[in-house]
Amino acid sequence: MTRFLIALLLIVSAASAQAAVRIKDIADIKGLRENQIVGYGLVIGLNGTGDTLRNAPFTEQSLQSMLENMGINVRNETTSTNNSARPTTLRTRNVAAVMVTADLMPSIGPGERMDVTVSSLGDATSLLGGTLVMTSLRAADGAVYAVAQGAVMVAGYSVGGQAQNVSQGTPTSGRIPNGALVEREVQGSLHEMEYLVLELKNPDFVTATRILDAVNRYAGGRYRAQIAFERDYRTIVLSKPRYVGPVRFLAEIGELTVEPDTPARVVINERTGTVVIGRDVRISTVAVTHGNLTVRVTEMPVVSQPAPFSQGQTVVVPQTIVEANEAGSQVAILSGVDLQRLVRGLNQIGLKPSGIIAILQAIKTAGALQAEVIVQ
């Protein structure tokens, strides 16, 4: 398994070393981003799997407010004997309070639809078969940008009885495809931008320089001008030609390909045993050995009987057996001229992921690992 993982890392790194990617895949346009919107609503029509109103008072208050807005008074009722009012207690289990979240795409206009995510807020056990009642979705500025409503699609389920329960997935969360109707457009447009700014998703000096050269090389032949200049290692400013629309201009620039540069980095996740080694990781020549010492301690108490007529007592005498075993290991020389040689050296030792993690940390402590180590 360890050799398979290391070989997989080698194949992926070797392929990425020769592959060029499009600019639109490694950079975003500043100002064109998604906006998060959120709302609070009720899901109705559940088959007895909704909130317990006694444990979730906010669900009961929301249900009462919704019914009052429809002209139904459920907060109190008047008795026919003394015309006195007493509160009404709701005991329905077909309603659940939920939070509705969505990402508002840039340049989306009123009347368009988008998907929303519905998540339970109370103690409901499942949202399967429920319908979201009209819910307003607000952004950080407090304005309503969309209204959501529709049947909730749940992928998981949960069934059971008193002695056993079977569940798969998360039945308390679901989605509504095209469940939100956009009511307001986000301010800002490409035509209002004087300059178009590219922001790298993974900032790097070499990658920014390669994008700059690729854009100016293309613009020199296409527009007879140099239209790009760097602001820093993260952003590149583009000066759009006057006779070209922003959409066509960005479409042409986004299809240009460059080879992004990746930092020398080793990512280690000790909980899952995952090791990811970057393409440019180098190791100075070192000799490495790794062995496991196993110590087994076994307790075997022995009953000691006294001799006949000795007036002695029967006692339990402890007996401890200690066994120590140290497995043999090989000494391998690691020299990180390239990733292939590094993988071959680690593969010679025949280690498990935990052993590879320990060796890489030890090599970093010795100063021979010329890369950044990130432990998750």
Side-chain angles (χ1 to χ4, degrees):
M1 185 64 180
T2 303
R3 297 186 177 182
F4 172 75
L5 293 176
I6 297 178
L8 180 61
L9 293 175
L10 176 61
I11 294 175
V12 173
S13 300
S16 61
Q18 302 176 356
V21 299
R22 298 175 299 180
I23 292 180
K24 66 179 182 180
D25 295 328
I26 59 176
D28 294 326
I29 305 299
K30 185 176 181 180
L32 294 182
R33 64 177 182 86
E34 297 179 349
N35 293 273
Q36 297 177 337
I37 52 179
V38 63
Y40 170 83
L42 293 176
V43 171
I44 62 174
L46 303 177
N47 187 17
T49 59
D51 293 340
T52 304
L53 300 186
R54 181 177 299 179
N55 298 332
F58 49 85
T59 305
E60 182 177 6
Q61 296 173 5
S62 303
L63 180 59
Q64 291 174 349
S65 300
M66 182 187 68
L67 293 177
E68 283 186 349
N69 291 334
M70 296 182 178
I72 303 174
N73 184 14
V74 295
R75 293 188 182 272
N76 56 67
E77 60 181 9
T78 303
T79 60
S80 59
T81 57
N82 52 7
N83 294 329
S84 61
R86 60 184 178 87
T88 301
T89 303
L90 301 177
R91 288 293 180 263
T92 179
R93 285 298 305 273
N94 299 337
V95 182
V98 295
M99 295 299 296
V100 184
T101 58
D103 292 330
L104 193 63
M105 300 296 294
S107 302
I108 190 170
E112 298 186 40
R113 290 187 172 272
M114 60 182 182
D115 300 344
V116 295
T117 302
V118 181
S119 303
S120 175
L121 193 61
D123 59 352
T125 58
S126 177
L127 299 179
L128 182 64
T131 301
L132 177 68
V133 183
M134 186 172 60
T135 303
S136 300
L137 303 181
R138 302 175 182 271
D141 57 358
V144 176
Y145 283 87
V147 176
Q149 182 172 274
V152 182
M153 306 294 293
V154 179
Y157 64 87
S158 177
V159 294
Q162 296 181 355
Q164 190 176 7
N165 186 22
V166 178
S167 62
Q168 180 180 0
T170 306
T172 55
S173 179
R175 291 183 63 84
I176 305 179
N178 294 327
L181 189 64
V182 179
E183 299 291 343
R184 177 180 297 185
E185 183 178 0
V186 180
Q187 298 296 328
S189 176
L190 288 175
H191 297 277
E192 300 176 0
M193 299 180 183
E194 182 179 0
Y195 295 97
L196 301 177
V197 180
L198 294 177
E199 292 184 340
L200 273 67
K201 298 179 181 179
N202 296 314
D204 183 80
F205 290 100
V206 177
T207 305
T209 303
R210 292 176 180 175
I211 293 178
L212 179 68
D213 295 340
V215 172
N216 283 332
R217 189 183 311 112
Y218 173 80
R222 177 72 167 82
Y223 305 113
R224 307 300 181 188
Q226 301 294 310
I227 61 174
F229 61 92
E230 70 277 12
R231 179 178 296 174
D232 50 39
Y233 75 107
R234 176 185 175 85
T235 58
I236 298 174
V237 181
L238 304 178
S239 179
K240 182 182 68 67
R242 296 182 178 179
Y243 54 88
V244 180
V247 176
R248 176 177 294 275
F249 175 71
L250 290 177
E252 295 176 355
I253 298 300
E255 289 297 326
L256 300 179
T257 59
V258 296
E259 181 181 345
D261 188 62
T262 57
R265 185 174 297 168
V266 177
V267 180
I268 296 174
N269 192 325
E270 294 181 332
R271 293 172 296 180
T272 61
T274 303
V275 181
V276 179
I277 304 175
R279 179 189 62 185
D280 296 325
V281 173
R282 298 291 183 269
I283 293 181
S284 302
T285 304
V286 290
V288 178
T289 181
H290 183 78
N292 295 323
L293 176 63
T294 303
V295 179
R296 178 179 298 177
V297 179
T298 306
E299 295 289 345
M300 299 182 62
V302 178
V303 179
S304 177
Q305 296 284 354
F309 307 104
S310 62
Q311 297 181 355
Q313 297 181 354
T314 302
V315 295
V316 178
V317 180
Q319 182 179 1
T320 304
I321 300 177
V322 180
E323 298 179 358
N325 182 21
E326 185 175 4
S329 60
Q330 302 177 354
V331 178
I333 298 179
L334 301 183
S335 179
V337 177
D338 52 20
L339 183 59
Q340 183 176 1
R341 181 174 296 183
L342 171 61
V343 171
R344 187 184 301 114
L346 291 174
N347 206 13
Q348 289 177 358
I349 307 177
L351 299 174
K352 295 181 179 180
S354 59
I356 296 178
I357 292 174
I359 285 182
L360 290 177
Q361 291 178 336
I363 294 176
K364 180 64 176 179
T365 303
L369 181 59
Q370 314 304 331
E372 178 186 4
V373 177
I374 300 178
V375 180
Q376 296 181 344

